[in-house]
Amino acid sequence: MEYAILDIETTGGKFNEEGITEIAIYRFNGIKVVDQFASLVNPERPIQPFVVNLTGINSEMLRNAPKFYEVAKRIIEMTEGAVLVAHNANFDNRILTTEFDRLGYNFDMETLCTVELAKKLIPDMPSYSLGKLVRSLGIPLSDRHRAQGDAKATVELFKLLLLKDENREIVKQLVKKEPKKQINTKLLDIIKSSTSDTGVYYLHNENGDIIYIGKSKNIKKRLTQHFTSDNRKSKQIQQEVSSVTFDKTGNDLVAQLLESDQIKRHKPKFNRALRKSIFNYQLGSIVDEDGYINLKIEKADSRKKAITTFTSFQSAKNSLEGIIAKYGLCQRLGGFHKTEEACFSYTIKECNGACVQEEAPEAYNERVQVFLDEYSYASKNMLVIDKGRDRDERSVVLIENGIFKGFGFYTLNHQITQPEILKSIIRPMKNNRDSQHIIQTYLKKRKVIKTINLDTNTES
């Protein structure tokens, strides 16, 4: 029997939506390693911040890394005819199966988990996490939470476990064939009745009540994930769902705005987390008595205009620190130093002295204004134009005086800058912290077809 001993690092995120960022595989014949493969992988999706801190792998490192389909053939070569061995094998096998499913390939392997094997063969250890277990056994481990380091340590751990199971009896007992999740006919019919387009979907029970609202760039694929997932909420949805309806949106910005609005409006039983705003802090600005624009983090307040919003004080603090560094602003005028004296950055010549009035307010405020113009749509009258639901259509998001008014769709022959035409196509929606955050984040991170400044009638 041969084994493919592997470790995978991922982006983190929602169940079955993770992507692989790094993989290492050692082909082991029971005596020695006969082949090996290791590679970073471009997951084509964001990496969760806590994962970056844990693994040290960031998006910049993966910019030029191969995508999964480019390493898929080599992975198949390394694993074919072998038993997949990993520390927490269910996780690694699920991630690989999901990636291959996206390519339309049936990745179906027997698995062996070194956690379960170690508990059988080395009972009463204080911990069975990989790092603590190998340390207790004197097995060297370098590059913890990196695929190659963890896979190498798993090879050595597996060798030790095989020595303790001379007749391979325990190993044979624990080799598993993961059953493919079978979707019942009702759920298959619901999936077939949906679309592969971007939009918002509504899951209904047999009485027609909406029990869950979601959005996806591929509704059919997202429903398949709901109906094959084993977590508690998904199982409850699978039992109660009777039909699906959907609104195509053409792009993810409109999908996010519509989803947020519809969840607040309908309050579905399985959307508890998103019924209320989750943005508890905001970044605001004031002009002090000396004429300098001060940026400050404050509790979210719908009565005050927010530059942007945050889920936590820490995320607000981290963001403001980055803004101060990027735009060369003063730490004290950003609220980080309560003293009336110079800020720390001034002492190391990274602040031009606004804190001690060495830099004129006009010069300082000019840099703040550059940030505000790039980051915020407060007080702006603008249209955000992006893809529509078909080739001859565009979507439009309307913002008046910094307030989100709604969205609509138009054909390319519409003169949408004319007020009467705009009013006729816009679907009114409530302006709130969630919609503000969605629009600001989207415009900051992603490209739209264009934005139109209604005050100057200029495009960008």
Side-chain angles (χ1 to χ4, degrees):
M1 185 182 290
E2 292 208 346
Y3 308 91
I5 304 173
L6 60 84
D7 186 76
I8 290 170
E9 303 300 333
T10 73
T11 57
K14 291 182 180 177
F15 185 85
N16 276 2
E17 291 187 12
E18 311 101 318
I20 294 175
T21 59
E22 188 177 35
I23 184 168
I25 308 173
Y26 290 88
R27 183 84 177 204
F28 180 67
N29 66 5
I31 301 170
K32 63 180 180 179
V33 171
V34 294
D35 199 359
Q36 59 184 288
F37 169 71
S39 178
L40 291 169
V41 180
N42 183 340
E44 302 182 86
R45 67 199 68 207
I47 306 173
Q48 298 292 311
F50 82 91
V51 176
V52 175
N53 292 333
L54 184 69
T55 65
I57 300 172
N58 57 51
S59 297
E60 187 60 36
M61 291 170 60
L62 304 179
R63 188 183 300 276
N64 297 315
K67 297 178 175 64
F68 183 77
Y69 74 86
E70 295 175 290
V71 297
K73 183 180 177 182
R74 182 67 176 130
I75 292 171
I76 292 168
E77 290 172 351
M78 287 292 299
T79 57
E80 198 167 20
V83 174
L84 187 153
V85 178
H87 208 69
N88 190 9
N90 284 346
F91 171 80
D92 297 80
N93 187 47
R94 177 178 67 79
I95 295 296
L96 276 176
T97 301
T98 301
E99 289 281 15
F100 277 110
D101 280 347
R102 290 170 185 152
L103 300 180
Y105 180 84
N106 182 29
F107 185 80
D108 189 15
M109 291 195 65
E110 293 182 323
T111 63
L112 182 58
C113 180
T114 50
V115 176
E116 294 179 24
L117 196 56
K119 286 179 178 179
K120 286 271 188 183
L121 294 169
I122 319 174
D124 304 321
M125 296 298 288
S127 171
Y128 289 91
S129 72
L130 182 63
K132 291 178 180 176
L133 180 60
V134 297
R135 194 179 303 121
S136 300
L137 298 171
I139 295 171
L141 172 57
S142 59
D143 291 333
R144 179 73 175 111
H145 296 300
R146 291 295 300 268
Q148 200 155 11
D150 286 0
K152 245 183 211 175
T154 306
V155 170
E156 297 305 316
L157 172 62
F158 189 57
K159 285 180 182 176
L160 177 63
L161 294 171
L162 288 181
L163 281 174
K164 291 183 174 292
D165 184 30
E166 293 179 6
N167 298 319
R168 304 288 197 269
E169 293 300 325
I170 304 297
V171 167
K172 287 173 188 173
Q173 288 173 21
L174 292 181
V175 169
K176 291 181 180 176
K177 187 79 167 180
E178 291 299 322
K180 283 284 183 180
K181 174 77 176 179
Q182 298 298 314
I183 306 179
N184 70 38
T185 304
K186 176 190 77 170
L187 301 179
L188 278 174
D189 288 342
I190 293 172
I191 292 170
K192 286 176 184 175
S193 70
S194 66
T195 177
S196 297
D197 293 312
T198 299
V200 173
Y201 56 92
Y202 308 80
L203 299 182
H204 303 260
N205 63 17
E206 60 183 2
N207 297 320
D209 301 323
I210 297 172
I211 59 172
Y212 184 81
I213 297 173
K215 65 94 190 168
S216 179
K217 295 177 184 176
N218 184 326
I219 292 173
K220 193 183 290 284
K221 183 182 285 188
R222 186 71 186 101
L223 291 177
T224 303
Q225 291 169 345
H226 280 305
F227 298 160
T228 56
S229 175
D230 287 326
N231 67 53
R232 190 175 70 171
K233 186 171 85 170
S234 292
K235 284 182 175 179
Q236 289 177 306
I237 289 174
Q238 290 161 25
Q239 287 178 345
E240 295 190 32
V241 67
S242 179
S243 63
V244 63
T245 56
F246 50 84
D247 290 320
K248 296 181 185 180
T249 61
N251 63 77
D252 196 42
L253 172 58
V254 174
Q256 289 185 51
L257 291 168
L258 181 58
E259 178 198 36
S260 176
D261 175 82
Q262 292 294 288
I263 289 172
K264 289 179 175 61
R265 190 184 301 270
H266 294 285
K267 297 180 171 57
K269 64 186 291 186
F270 293 116
N271 286 104
R272 293 186 186 92
L274 294 179
R275 289 179 188 175
K276 297 179 181 179
S277 176
I278 59 171
F279 302 107
N280 300 314
Y281 290 87
Q282 64 188 36
L283 183 64
S285 66
I286 58 166
V287 178
D288 66 22
E289 58 188 14
D290 296 315
Y292 295 94
I293 300 175
N294 287 226
L295 300 176
K296 62 174 184 174
I297 299 167
E298 54 195 6
K299 280 275 192 180
D301 186 342
S302 58
R303 296 167 298 179
K304 299 179 182 178
K305 279 193 175 177
I307 299 166
T308 188
T309 50
F310 306 92
T311 55
S312 68
F313 178 80
Q314 189 59 48
S315 63
K317 183 171 177 287
N318 292 343
S319 180
L320 183 53
E321 285 174 344
I323 290 163
I324 288 171
K326 179 178 177 180
Y327 294 91
L329 305 183
C330 173
Q331 289 176 322
R332 186 164 72 78
L333 299 188
F336 285 114
H337 293 279
K338 302 302 180 186
T339 174
E340 294 299 315
E341 300 172 2
C343 69
F344 173 74
S345 291
Y346 176 76
T347 65
I348 58 173
K349 304 190 185 313
E350 288 183 1
C351 169
N352 295 341
C355 45
V356 289
Q357 298 181 31
E358 283 187 13
E359 181 179 23
E362 296 78 13
Y364 180 80
N365 292 348
E366 191 174 318
R367 292 199 304 283
V368 179
Q369 195 59 51
V370 169
F371 155 67
L372 293 174
D373 290 342
E374 288 182 6
Y375 212 92
S376 170
Y377 59 81
S379 304
K380 289 183 180 177
N381 294 296
M382 63 186 288
L383 305 176
V384 181
I385 310 299
D386 210 349
K387 291 184 293 185
R389 296 163 295 188
D390 58 51
R391 188 187 304 174
D392 299 321
E393 188 179 68
R394 294 287 182 267
S395 69
V396 54
V397 172
L398 173 62
I399 295 163
E400 287 184 346
N401 196 30
I403 296 172
F404 167 58
K405 291 294 186 179
F407 70 84
F409 299 96
Y410 68 96
T411 55
L412 297 180
N413 58 357
H414 273 92
Q415 299 297 315
I416 58 160
T417 54
Q418 295 180 15
E420 64 275 9
I421 294 177
L422 254 182
K423 287 178 181 176
S424 71
I425 65 172
I426 290 295
R427 173 177 175 171
M429 300 186 85
K430 287 186 177 180
N431 179 64
N432 52 48
R433 293 197 297 271
D434 291 349
S435 59
Q436 291 167 2
H437 186 88
I438 288 166
I439 294 169
Q440 287 168 335
T441 303
Y442 197 92
L443 292 179
K444 183 185 173 191
K445 292 184 177 179
R446 309 185 197 186
K447 288 185 178 179
V448 295
I449 291 176
K450 62 182 174 182
T451 57
I452 300 175
N453 186 319
L454 292 175
D455 294 325
T456 60
N457 203 26
T458 55
E459 297 182 3
S460 60

